[in-house]
Amino acid sequence: MQGLLFQRVEVADGSFAAWLRGLPVKPAGSLVKLYNGLPKFWAGMPAAVIDIDVGDKDLQQCADAVMRLRAEYLLGNGRPNEIAFDYTNGGRVDFSRWSQGMRPTPKKKGVAWSRKGKADASYPSFRRYMDQVFSYAGTYSLSKELKPVPSSEIAIGDVFIKGGFPGHAMLVADMVENTQTGERRFLLLQSYMPAQDMHIVMNPSAEPSSPWYPAAFGDKLVTPEWTFEKDQLKRWP
């Protein structure tokens, strides 16, 4: 698609960027499905649909998908104690405490923890934890957790995010570089409202049709369903 001059940028083994490149995808031509199994009513075709569950509730939306992928990476790489996210009200909720049988109750500010279950660090317990996070966190809280990064330094795993009600978040899923000119291009992954399959979006400005976005995109990044400002790029701390 990129021609022989474009090659994937180098990433470290075991990094979040390397892990994202290994995400499973559904067969070519697959439609984006909503959490209830119905097809998404937007006519544009995705470049690819990620083969990861969306759940059966309207929970895993845009910022939730970003948090889910980060948490899946940490869990799969033996780093479950690093899984933690902020609720919109400011409370910090970590999987390590959840896996000990503790459960958070949102308060006006922060959360209160109480023991309501048995210790369980299994994957089903992790998914229940993530659903809890999806219910009380979103673009507003995630945008405060992430650190700003200049668009000129964009890298795989970075997040374009507008915190708000509504807001939106999209993840930089891969990047290539022209071996002669140094030009870089990247792929964008999203979920949306209502909760739906994570998918790689097409670039509506590309001619011919392509999912690749230029790293030098200017002051605004125009995607099929949202437009970001160039200063809305952030990175995991």
Side-chain angles (χ1 to χ4, degrees), residues 48-70:
V49 178
I50 308 303
D51 193 3
I52 187 171
D53 76 279
V54 66
D56 58 2
K57 300 179 178 65
D58 188 11
L59 292 176
Q60 191 171 279
Q61 299 180 359
C62 57
D64 310 303
V66 173
M67 292 185 286
R68 169 79 183 278
L69 292 177
R70 183 65 178 178

Short mmCIF file of all heavy atoms in Angstrom, two decimals, residues 48-70:
data_model
loop_
_atom_site.label_atom_id
_atom_site.label_comp_id
_atom_site.label_asym_id
_atom_site.label_seq_id
_atom_site.Cartn_x
_atom_site.Cartn_y
_atom_site.Cartn_z
N ALA A 48 -9.56 -1.79 8.78
CA ALA A 48 -9.46 -3.09 9.44
C ALA A 48 -10.28 -3.04 10.72
O ALA A 48 -10.43 -1.97 11.33
CB ALA A 48 -8.00 -3.43 9.75
N VAL A 49 -10.80 -4.18 11.12
CA VAL A 49 -11.55 -4.30 12.37
C VAL A 49 -10.74 -5.17 13.32
O VAL A 49 -10.32 -6.28 12.96
CB VAL A 49 -12.94 -4.92 12.14
CG1 VAL A 49 -13.68 -5.07 13.47
CG2 VAL A 49 -13.75 -4.07 11.18
N ILE A 50 -10.49 -4.67 14.51
CA ILE A 50 -9.69 -5.39 15.49
C ILE A 50 -10.52 -6.52 16.09
O ILE A 50 -11.67 -6.34 16.46
CB ILE A 50 -9.20 -4.45 16.60
CG1 ILE A 50 -8.51 -3.22 16.00
CG2 ILE A 50 -8.26 -5.18 17.55
CD1 ILE A 50 -7.35 -3.52 15.10
N ASP A 51 -9.90 -7.69 16.18
CA ASP A 51 -10.61 -8.87 16.68
C ASP A 51 -10.44 -8.97 18.20
O ASP A 51 -9.69 -9.79 18.72
CB ASP A 51 -10.07 -10.14 16.00
CG ASP A 51 -10.97 -11.34 16.23
OD1 ASP A 51 -12.03 -11.18 16.86
OD2 ASP A 51 -10.59 -12.45 15.80
N ILE A 52 -11.15 -8.09 18.90
CA ILE A 52 -11.16 -8.07 20.36
C ILE A 52 -12.58 -7.74 20.80
O ILE A 52 -13.25 -6.93 20.15
CB ILE A 52 -10.13 -7.06 20.91
CG1 ILE A 52 -10.01 -7.16 22.43
CG2 ILE A 52 -10.46 -5.65 20.49
CD1 ILE A 52 -8.86 -6.34 23.00
N ASP A 53 -13.04 -8.36 21.87
CA ASP A 53 -14.45 -8.20 22.23
C ASP A 53 -14.77 -6.77 22.63
O ASP A 53 -13.93 -6.04 23.15
CB ASP A 53 -14.81 -9.15 23.39
CG ASP A 53 -14.28 -8.65 24.72
OD1 ASP A 53 -13.08 -8.87 25.00
OD2 ASP A 53 -15.04 -8.05 25.48
N VAL A 54 -16.01 -6.38 22.37
CA VAL A 54 -16.49 -5.05 22.75
C VAL A 54 -17.38 -5.12 23.98
O VAL A 54 -17.73 -4.11 24.57
CB VAL A 54 -17.24 -4.39 21.57
CG1 VAL A 54 -18.51 -5.13 21.26
CG2 VAL A 54 -17.51 -2.92 21.84
N GLY A 55 -17.72 -6.36 24.41
CA GLY A 55 -18.64 -6.52 25.52
C GLY A 55 -20.08 -6.45 25.05
O GLY A 55 -20.36 -6.19 23.87
N ASP A 56 -21.02 -6.68 25.96
CA ASP A 56 -22.44 -6.68 25.58
C ASP A 56 -23.19 -5.49 26.17
O ASP A 56 -24.41 -5.49 26.23
CB ASP A 56 -23.10 -7.99 26.01
CG ASP A 56 -23.00 -8.25 27.51
OD1 ASP A 56 -22.45 -7.40 28.24
OD2 ASP A 56 -23.46 -9.32 27.96
N LYS A 57 -22.45 -4.48 26.62
CA LYS A 57 -23.06 -3.26 27.15
C LYS A 57 -22.46 -2.05 26.44
O LYS A 57 -21.38 -2.13 25.87
CB LYS A 57 -22.84 -3.14 28.67
CG LYS A 57 -23.42 -4.29 29.48
CD LYS A 57 -23.13 -4.10 30.96
CE LYS A 57 -23.74 -5.23 31.78
NZ LYS A 57 -23.12 -6.53 31.47
N ASP A 58 -23.16 -0.94 26.48
CA ASP A 58 -22.70 0.27 25.81
C ASP A 58 -21.66 0.98 26.67
O ASP A 58 -21.89 2.08 27.17
CB ASP A 58 -23.89 1.19 25.53
CG ASP A 58 -23.51 2.38 24.65
OD1 ASP A 58 -22.40 2.37 24.10
OD2 ASP A 58 -24.34 3.30 24.53
N LEU A 59 -20.50 0.32 26.84
CA LEU A 59 -19.48 0.84 27.74
C LEU A 59 -18.17 1.16 27.04
O LEU A 59 -17.59 2.22 27.24
CB LEU A 59 -19.22 -0.17 28.87
CG LEU A 59 -20.35 -0.38 29.87
CD1 LEU A 59 -19.98 -1.48 30.87
CD2 LEU A 59 -20.64 0.92 30.62
N GLN A 60 -17.67 0.24 26.22
CA GLN A 60 -16.34 0.39 25.63
C GLN A 60 -16.37 1.34 24.44
O GLN A 60 -16.38 0.92 23.29
CB GLN A 60 -15.79 -0.98 25.23
CG GLN A 60 -14.31 -0.96 24.86
CD GLN A 60 -13.75 -2.36 24.68
OE1 GLN A 60 -13.42 -3.02 25.64
NE2 GLN A 60 -13.69 -2.82 23.44
N GLN A 61 -16.38 2.63 24.75
CA GLN A 61 -16.46 3.65 23.71
C GLN A 61 -15.04 4.14 23.37
O GLN A 61 -14.11 3.35 23.35
CB GLN A 61 -17.40 4.75 24.15
CG GLN A 61 -18.83 4.23 24.37
CD GLN A 61 -19.81 5.29 24.81
OE1 GLN A 61 -19.50 6.46 24.98
NE2 GLN A 61 -21.06 4.87 25.01
N CYS A 62 -14.86 5.42 23.10
CA CYS A 62 -13.58 5.87 22.54
C CYS A 62 -12.41 5.81 23.53
O CYS A 62 -11.44 5.07 23.31
CB CYS A 62 -13.73 7.26 21.94
SG CYS A 62 -14.32 8.51 23.09
N ALA A 63 -12.47 6.57 24.62
CA ALA A 63 -11.39 6.55 25.59
C ALA A 63 -11.27 5.17 26.23
O ALA A 63 -10.17 4.73 26.59
CB ALA A 63 -11.61 7.61 26.66
N ASP A 64 -12.41 4.50 26.37
CA ASP A 64 -12.40 3.16 26.97
C ASP A 64 -11.57 2.18 26.16
O ASP A 64 -10.83 1.36 26.71
CB ASP A 64 -13.84 2.64 27.10
CG ASP A 64 -14.75 3.66 27.75
OD1 ASP A 64 -14.45 4.08 28.87
OD2 ASP A 64 -15.77 4.04 27.14
N ALA A 65 -11.68 2.26 24.83
CA ALA A 65 -10.90 1.37 23.97
C ALA A 65 -9.41 1.64 24.14
O ALA A 65 -8.59 0.70 24.16
CB ALA A 65 -11.30 1.56 22.51
N VAL A 66 -9.03 2.90 24.28
CA VAL A 66 -7.63 3.25 24.48
C VAL A 66 -7.13 2.67 25.81
O VAL A 66 -6.05 2.08 25.88
CB VAL A 66 -7.46 4.79 24.45
CG1 VAL A 66 -6.04 5.18 24.83
CG2 VAL A 66 -7.80 5.33 23.07
N MET A 67 -7.94 2.84 26.86
CA MET A 67 -7.55 2.30 28.17
C MET A 67 -7.51 0.77 28.14
O MET A 67 -6.64 0.15 28.75
CB MET A 67 -8.51 2.81 29.24
CG MET A 67 -8.40 4.29 29.51
SD MET A 67 -9.43 4.89 30.88
CE MET A 67 -11.08 4.81 30.14
N ARG A 68 -8.46 0.16 27.45
CA ARG A 68 -8.49 -1.30 27.36
C ARG A 68 -7.20 -1.84 26.73
O ARG A 68 -6.60 -2.80 27.23
CB ARG A 68 -9.71 -1.72 26.53
CG ARG A 68 -9.75 -3.21 26.12
CD ARG A 68 -10.22 -4.10 27.24
NE ARG A 68 -10.19 -5.51 26.84
CZ ARG A 68 -11.14 -6.14 26.14
NH1 ARG A 68 -12.23 -5.49 25.72
NH2 ARG A 68 -11.03 -7.43 25.86
N LEU A 69 -6.77 -1.24 25.64
CA LEU A 69 -5.58 -1.72 24.97
C LEU A 69 -4.33 -1.53 25.83
O LEU A 69 -3.46 -2.41 25.90
CB LEU A 69 -5.41 -1.03 23.61
CG LEU A 69 -6.45 -1.41 22.56
CD1 LEU A 69 -6.23 -0.62 21.29
CD2 LEU A 69 -6.44 -2.90 22.27
N ARG A 70 -4.24 -0.40 26.50
CA ARG A 70 -3.10 -0.18 27.39
C ARG A 70 -3.09 -1.21 28.52
O ARG A 70 -2.04 -1.77 28.85
CB ARG A 70 -3.16 1.23 27.96
CG ARG A 70 -1.98 1.59 28.85
CD ARG A 70 -0.67 1.61 28.11
NE ARG A 70 0.45 2.00 28.98
CZ ARG A 70 1.70 2.06 28.59
NH1 ARG A 70 2.02 1.80 27.34
NH2 ARG A 70 2.65 2.40 29.44
#
